[in-house]
Amino acid sequence: MEFEESGIGEECGVFGCVAAGEWPTQLEVAQILTLGLVALQHRGQESAGVVTSNGANPPTYSTHKGMGLVNSAFSPEALQKLRHDNLGICHTRYSTTGISELQNCQPFVVDTLHGKIAVAHNGELINAQALRKRVMRHGVGLSTGSDSELITQLLALTPPMEEQDTPDWVARIKNLMSETPTSYSLLVMFRDVIYAVRDPYGNRPLCIGRIVPVSKLYSSGSGEQDTEGWVVSSESCSFQSIGAKYYREVLPGEIVQLSKHGVKSLSVVARPEGDAPAFCIFEYVYFARPDTIFEGQMVYTVRQRCGRQLAIESPTDADVVSTVPESATPAALGYAQQSGLPYIEVLCKNRYVGRTFIQPNTRLRQLGVAKKFGALSDNFAGKRVVLIDDSIVRGNTISPIIKLLKEAGATEVHIRVASPPIRFPCYMGINIPTKEELIANRPEFKDIAGYIGADSVKYLTIEGLVSAVQEGIATKQENKVIVSQKRVGHCTACLTGKYPVELEW
C-alpha cells in the first residue's frame, strides 16, 4: 500500500497477440489485446495505446491511443475499426521519462527503409542522453521525451551488416542491445510477425502464452495443434482472462519471433562475462499482480515467504496480525502462519476514493489516506496489533493509519515491513522519489517508530528478501529452455546502491 501512496510508479505494461493458422482469422485480436491490457492496468494508468495489422505485405496498420485507463481510452467504436486485423501490440503507460501527454503514448509507429514498424517498450534506458545525441547526429528528429521513441528510431537505423534490400531485424535488435544494455522489454511488430525482446540483464519481465479453446484451458492434454493464437505480456496474470495458457518466459537477452506459424527463439545476446541477471526484485515485492508467475514461481507465494521470513527475523509480542490492504496481505498471512498469531482485518478500504499519489502535497495526501480507510474496531479494540506493510517510503501514509487504529482502540501498533528500506533512486524504469525524500535517508529514520507513532518498526533484511525470492527458483527444464541456479540474479540497487551496470549521464 505504501508504494501506491508514495509517488513510486509501476513503470509500464506491454502486450501483444498473433492469431495462429489461416488469415484472415476468426480470432478477435483487438478484443484480446484490450482484455490483456486491462489485466496489466496496475502497471500504468496514465495512457493506453494499441496498434493492429492485417499482416499483409505491405501491411495496413490501425492505431488508437487515449489518456487514462484502458476502458476509458478504448471506446467500442474505436475497437470496432480494429476487429478484422490478425496481429497487434498494445501498451499501458506510467511515465518514468517524458511528460504526461498523448504524444508520448505508445506504441510508436515509424517508417523504415523496409516498411513500417510498431514498438512498445517497458523500462528506461540508462544511457538515453548519449543515444539521443547519436540519433540526432544521423539527422533524425525526436518529437517526444520518451525513451521508447528513441528505441524506435534506433531500430529504424540500418545496421552495418544488413544487406540493402533485405531487412534483418535480428541484426537491428542486436545492434540496439549493443548500444544499451538495459532496461527494456520490447515488442516490435513488422509485417506479419512480432518480435519479443528482453534486455540481457532481464531487468523487466516478459512472458509468452498460448491461446487455446476454452474447453482445453484447464486441461493438461492440449497440445500446440490446439493453439488459436500466441500472446506475449509483461505479466502472465493477463493470460487467464483471454483464454491463454502460460507457455514460458522470454529469457534475458533473448529475441523471440511470434507468428501465425508459432514461437521461435532467434537469438540470445549474452551479458558481459561474469555479470549475473538483474531482474527487478520489487516486481515480487509490490509491482506485479499476485497471480503472476516469474521464474517459475507465483508472486503471491513469494510474498508469503517474505512474511514468514519477516516473522523469523522480527518476532513481536502481540495479539493479532493484520495488513494495510491489499498488496501486503500475502506477507501478513505468512507472518501470521510463522508466528502462530491469528490474522484479522483491521482496516476497511474504500475502493472508490482513487489513488492518492496523484494528490500534489503532503496535507492532501494525508487527507486522502484518512478518506481511504475505515477502522474495523470490533476486531482489535484492546489488542496489540502487528501491522504488515510493503514499505515505508516517505512515512506520510502509515502515520495517520497508526493514529486511526490507536484512536479506534488498539493498545499497541507494531509495524513490520515486508521489504528492506529503500535508500536509492531507480534509473531503470521505476519512478522512485529523490534520495532526499526517502525516509530511510532522513534524520527521522533513527527513531522512525517515534516519528510515525508506532510502538516499534522492523524491516525485512536484504538477505532475507533475496532468500525468500530465490528459495522457489529451482533448476528445471521449461519448454526445452534450461533455467538454472547459475542464471539467477536480482537487481537490489534501490536498497544497496549497487546498480547492475555502470550508469551514464
Side-chain angles (χ1 to χ4, degrees):
M1 183 281 306
E2 176 73 10
F3 286 108
E4 187 176 289
E5 316 297 345
S6 67
I8 290 189
E10 299 99 318
E11 350 109 29
C12 299
V14 298
F15 189 87
C17 175
V18 179
E22 294 299 318
W23 291 356
T25 182
Q26 298 301 307
L27 197 66
E28 293 279 0
V29 171
Q31 187 179 62
I32 287 169
L33 290 167
T34 305
L35 291 172
L37 207 57
V38 168
L40 299 177
Q41 189 74 86
H42 58 285
R43 300 186 70 87
Q45 304 81 41
E46 181 183 284
S47 63
V50 59
V51 178
T52 60
S53 169
N54 59 1
N57 185 14
T60 300
Y61 280 11
S62 301
T63 301
H64 182 76
K65 299 179 181 182
M67 300 301 292
L69 303 181
V70 175
N71 285 333
S72 300
F74 295 175
S75 66
E77 295 76 22
L79 293 177
Q80 186 69 20
K81 297 175 183 177
L82 312 176
R83 67 187 302 265
H84 298 296
D85 284 336
N86 298 309
L87 70 163
I89 61 175
C90 53
H91 183 274
T92 185
R93 184 170 190 260
Y94 182 102
S95 62
T96 51
T97 62
I99 57 178
S100 176
E101 289 182 351
L102 189 59
Q103 67 176 15
N104 283 312
C105 181
Q106 299 183 47
F108 286 112
V109 179
V110 297
D111 282 303
T112 73
L113 185 63
H114 305 289
K116 288 183 177 180
I117 61 168
V119 178
H121 162 234
N122 167 213
E124 184 175 358
L125 304 184
I126 54 134
N127 58 340
Q129 281 187 311
L131 291 174
R132 194 171 292 276
K133 290 178 181 177
R134 181 178 177 275
V135 167
M136 288 179 173
R137 284 195 198 100
H138 278 78
V140 177
L142 297 171
S143 59
T144 75
S146 167
D147 283 0
S148 308
E149 186 196 16
L150 183 58
I151 288 171
T152 307
Q153 294 294 355
L154 284 166
L155 288 170
L157 296 176
T158 304
M161 65 289 293
E162 183 178 281
E163 295 181 13
Q164 188 171 1
D165 296 325
T166 308
D168 187 341
W169 289 103
V170 174
R172 288 179 181 231
I173 293 165
K174 283 184 174 181
N175 188 53
L176 169 70
M177 288 177 155
S178 70
E179 295 282 354
T180 184
T182 193
S183 155
Y184 46 88
S185 284
L186 299 175
L187 299 183
V188 181
M189 185 168 69
F190 176 72
R191 290 182 185 167
D192 59 348
V193 302
I194 294 173
Y195 299 97
V197 184
R198 204 167 165 207
D199 77 58
Y201 288 86
N203 188 250
R204 296 285 144 230
L206 199 61
C207 61
I208 299 167
R210 188 167 62 88
I211 300 174
V212 297
V214 175
S215 60
K216 302 287 184 72
L217 188 57
Y218 302 102
S219 166
S220 57
S222 65
E224 288 198 19
Q225 69 275 8
D226 298 313
T227 302
E228 295 181 344
W230 295 95
V231 287
V232 58
S233 176
S234 293
E235 294 185 37
S236 62
C237 65
S238 60
F239 293 160
Q240 195 166 1
S241 63
I242 59 165
K245 285 188 169 186
Y246 177 85
Y247 187 65
R248 72 170 178 91
E249 282 188 317
V250 177
L251 293 178
E254 190 177 18
I255 304 169
V256 178
Q257 177 183 282
L258 286 79
S259 72
K260 63 182 178 181
H261 305 295
V263 171
K264 183 179 181 181
S265 181
L266 301 179
S267 185
V268 178
V269 175
R271 294 176 298 279
E273 193 170 346
D275 283 6
F279 180 50
C280 174
I281 206 161
F282 269 87
E283 290 282 356
Y284 283 111
V285 172
Y286 174 75
F287 297 126
R289 219 172 77 171
D291 54 336
T292 284
I293 295 171
F294 292 140
E295 301 174 303
Q297 56 185 346
M298 191 166 281
V299 169
Y300 186 96
T301 305
V302 174
R303 290 176 184 168
Q304 275 194 315
R305 286 203 298 265
C306 287
R308 290 200 294 270
Q309 182 64 29
L310 183 59
I312 293 168
E313 293 180 358
S314 302
T316 318
D317 189 12
D319 301 308
V320 295
V321 176
S322 193
T323 182
V324 181
E326 294 167 330
S327 53
T329 299
L333 289 168
Y335 192 100
Q337 291 164 3
Q338 184 66 40
S339 65
L341 295 172
Y343 171 83
I344 64 165
E345 293 184 347
V346 299
L347 293 168
C348 177
K349 186 175 183 179
N350 180 355
R351 303 175 191 280
Y352 303 101
V353 170
R355 297 166 65 88
T356 61
F357 75 74
I358 61 175
Q359 296 177 346
N361 59 43
T362 299
R363 179 178 177 276
L364 288 177
R365 189 177 293 112
Q366 289 172 333
L367 288 173
V369 168
K371 289 185 296 182
K372 198 165 190 176
F373 296 103
L376 301 171
S377 54
D378 283 359
N379 289 350
F380 63 86
K383 295 178 180 178
R384 300 165 296 174
V385 178
V386 182
L387 196 67
I388 311 298
D389 203 358
D390 302 304
S391 182
I392 301 173
V393 180
R394 289 191 180 103
N396 298 328
T397 303
I398 196 69
S399 182
I401 288 176
I402 295 168
K403 183 181 178 184
L404 178 69
L405 294 178
K406 288 191 171 183
E407 288 176 348
T411 57
E412 296 176 6
V413 179
H414 300 271
I415 301 299
R416 295 295 179 265
V417 186
S419 64
I422 299 176
R423 298 181 184 275
F424 302 91
C426 174
Y427 302 102
M428 290 170 286
I430 307 296
N431 185 24
I432 288 180
T434 63
K435 194 172 180 180
E436 293 72 27
E437 289 180 278
L438 297 169
I439 186 69
N441 296 325
R442 284 161 41 190
E444 298 94 321
F445 192 69
K446 293 178 182 177
D447 181 24
I448 189 170
Y451 177 69
I452 65 175
D455 291 275
S456 69
V457 177
K458 299 287 184 183
Y459 288 81
L460 184 63
T461 63
I462 296 172
E463 296 76 17
L465 173 61
V466 172
S467 172
V469 168
Q470 295 187 357
E471 181 184 326
I473 305 173
T475 301
K476 62 181 181 177
Q477 184 169 356
E478 182 182 52
N479 293 318
K480 300 181 181 179
V481 179
I482 300 297
V483 181
S484 71
Q485 283 291 78
K486 293 180 182 178
R487 291 183 178 174
V488 174
H490 296 92
C491 179
T492 58
C494 58
L495 311 174
T496 63
K498 296 178 181 177
Y499 296 90
V501 294
E502 187 175 344
L503 301 175
E504 295 183 24
W505 309 111

